[in-house]
Amino acid sequence: MDCLFCKIIAGEIPSSKVYEDEKVYAFNDISPAAPCHVLIVPKEHIESANDLNEENADILKNIFLTAKMIAKEKGIAEKGYRIVNNCGEDGGQSVKHLHFHLLGGRSLEWPPG
Ligand code: AMP
Ligand code: ZN
């Protein structure tokens, strides 16, 4: 499949890995928007939040627990952080493999643009 994040998970394209287990892969964003900017993705190819269903949505638990664990490891848990999913064109999704941004290490603005 011609998917950038599937290739990263498979090790065909290099990445700065932060965490990996049976179901989840996490790596530093190549263009960080904050001092901590980690992408957390399911190893299973799911295109976007629109493609979540009763069968595959259990992965969200793994993703959020991974985000929490990484936030603690990076020392940003106490001050806070943001977990973001962009879905589709209007949501600003540029890579069509479900991913969650873990952003922190500075005060983040709200609302987003
Ligand atoms: P989104 O815009 O929500 O689809 O997020 C895609 C993210 O992937 C962006 O923040 C990019 O900077 C990031 N990205 C694109 N290519 C790579 C790569 N090869 N390694 C790490 N992050 C990447
Ligand atoms: Zn993929």
Side-chain angles (χ1 to χ4, degrees):
M1 192 188 302
D2 195 25
C3 169
L4 175 63
F5 288 173
C6 280
K7 287 179 181 163
I8 284 178
I9 293 160
E12 292 164 17
I13 290 174
S15 66
S16 167
K17 184 168 86 175
V18 173
Y19 175 79
E20 177 177 18
D21 65 25
E22 185 187 318
K23 292 183 177 166
V24 166
Y25 192 87
F27 54 106
N28 288 309
D29 197 292
I30 204 164
S31 179
C36 171
H37 188 171
V38 176
L39 298 175
I40 305 162
V41 309
K43 286 191 170 176
E44 178 188 356
H45 180 87
I46 299 169
E47 186 167 317
S48 80
N50 280 337
D51 299 289
L52 288 164
N53 56 47
E54 290 292 335
E55 277 67 51
N56 64 19
D58 284 355
I59 194 66
L60 296 174
K61 172 178 163 182
N62 300 69
I63 286 170
F64 272 74
L65 290 176
T66 299
K68 177 193 137 175
M69 180 197 69
I70 294 171
K72 194 169 180 208
E73 271 181 7
K74 298 245 175 205
I76 61 169
E78 285 296 315
K79 289 206 84 177
Y81 51 90
R82 190 172 292 163
I83 298 168
V84 176
N85 169 252
N86 297 325
C87 178
E89 194 183 338
D90 277 2
Q93 182 180 5
S94 63
V95 179
K96 291 183 175 166
H97 180 128
L98 181 69
H99 54 279
F100 290 76
H101 301 252
L102 169 63
L103 294 152
R106 67 171 171 86
S107 180
L108 299 163
E109 288 148 39
W110 190 262

